Amino acid sequence: MSTVPVRSAASRERSVGYACALITVVIWSGFILVSRLGAQGTLSAFDVAALRFGVSGLVMLPYLLRHGTGGLTLLQVAALGVTAGLGYALLAYSGFHFAPAAHAAVFMPGMLPFFTAALAWWLLGERWTRGRLLGLAVVAAGVALLVADELGRGGTTWRGDLLFLSASVSWAVFGVLARRWRVQPLQATAVIGVFCLVTYWPPYLLSGHSNLLEAPLAEVVIQGVYQGLLAVVVALITYTRALQILGPNLTTTITSLTPALAALSAVPLLGEELSALAVLGVMIVTLGVLVSVIRPRSTPTAQVSDED
């Protein structure tokens, strides 16, 4: 008689996980668009990173002072801060100065499921189910079409592509480490934000290469609020929460919707072109996500796994 409430609670918890993953998709898509827009303005990649770390660090500092690191060692804090903070942001923001938003959508969230699945298999011992293999295979086909379309145009955007790939690897490492160490969402946001604030701002100020005072106020405010508050505080909380409930593989498969949303939105908002081949690739990536997420209904005796 107690199985119904337990199963209902588990179902609600899983719904929360899906909601958090989808919120992350929306914010990450906006992150790609806003970051690409920022790369076309006055601010440099280092300026945008400074706004990201400054806003998120100051917002989360009271929480960290009150609750501490939650048992994380200094080495663990540094690992989370370097991967999800310094490494990801600096690599991504630098990439936007070489490649358009469509490239970022393909090479960062589009490739994230593969890097995460490989790391989760290596570090966590998670098996690749047939459904996940099929979903990743379909996603790979869609990403391949997008890559072929973008690389077929030539140019020097490969520099940005490599930076985006490196940023994706950095974020995948964070996702697996957060899962392995059972890091709580607010805890992760606080330690990463404050770590980046403390380690980045002193050398940034001493460098003497800040454009914050020369940039238009609206540009600074938009980048500061979106990058520091939404892309870090809100998205990191929703992403980490989704990791806890759904596991890293399923969470990052859902966030593979980001290439579709970002690439399609870049057409009217940034004036970027999207060819027929790219549209087909986006549709296939979306199909791969659905294949990975939709699963057969469990039998009454089956237990719900958070690693599905």
Side-chain angles (χ1 to χ4, degrees), residues 6-151:
V6 171
R7 189 171 300 278
S8 178
S11 178
R12 287 195 299 268
E13 182 75 354
R14 199 168 184 86
S15 297
V16 170
Y18 281 120
C20 288
L22 291 176
I23 291 173
T24 305
V25 168
V26 174
I27 296 178
W28 281 5
S29 300
F31 161 78
I32 291 174
L33 300 176
V34 173
S35 298
R36 177 58 176 171
L37 184 64
Q40 299 171 344
T42 306
L43 299 174
S44 68
F46 300 102
D47 296 325
V48 178
L51 291 172
R52 177 187 180 99
F53 302 147
V55 172
S56 62
L58 291 175
V59 168
M60 298 307 299
L61 180 58
Y63 180 90
L64 185 66
L65 292 175
R66 181 174 181 179
H67 299 279
T69 63
L72 291 174
T73 66
L74 182 60
L75 183 59
Q76 289 175 322
V77 170
L80 297 177
V82 169
T83 54
L86 298 176
Y88 176 78
L90 291 173
L91 290 168
Y93 293 144
S94 297
F96 284 109
H97 285 268
F98 296 101
H103 284 240
V106 170
F107 289 105
M108 285 199 294
M111 294 301 296
L112 186 59
F114 302 96
F115 297 137
T116 301
L119 288 170
W121 168 77
W122 179 37
L123 297 176
L124 304 181
E126 294 187 0
R127 294 179 299 174
W128 291 18
T129 64
R130 292 181 180 178
R132 180 163 296 118
L133 286 172
L134 176 60
L136 290 177
V138 176
V139 171
V143 169
L145 289 178
L146 289 168
V147 171
D149 175 69
E150 295 300 333
L151 296 183

Side-chain angles (χ1 to χ4, degrees), residues 159-215:
R159 299 176 183 176
D161 298 340
L162 289 178
L163 289 167
F164 292 146
L165 279 172
S166 300
S168 184
V169 171
S170 186
W171 190 270
V173 173
F174 156 72
V176 174
L177 291 180
R179 176 74 173 179
R180 184 174 186 176
W181 296 334
R182 301 184 182 276
V183 183
Q184 298 299 314
L186 284 174
Q187 175 191 356
T189 307
V191 297
I192 291 170
V194 176
F195 174 86
C196 293
L197 173 66
V198 172
T199 58
Y200 184 84
W201 265 86
Y204 170 74
L205 293 175
L206 291 174
S207 70
H209 295 293
S210 173
N211 297 321
L212 294 180
L213 296 180
E214 289 76 20

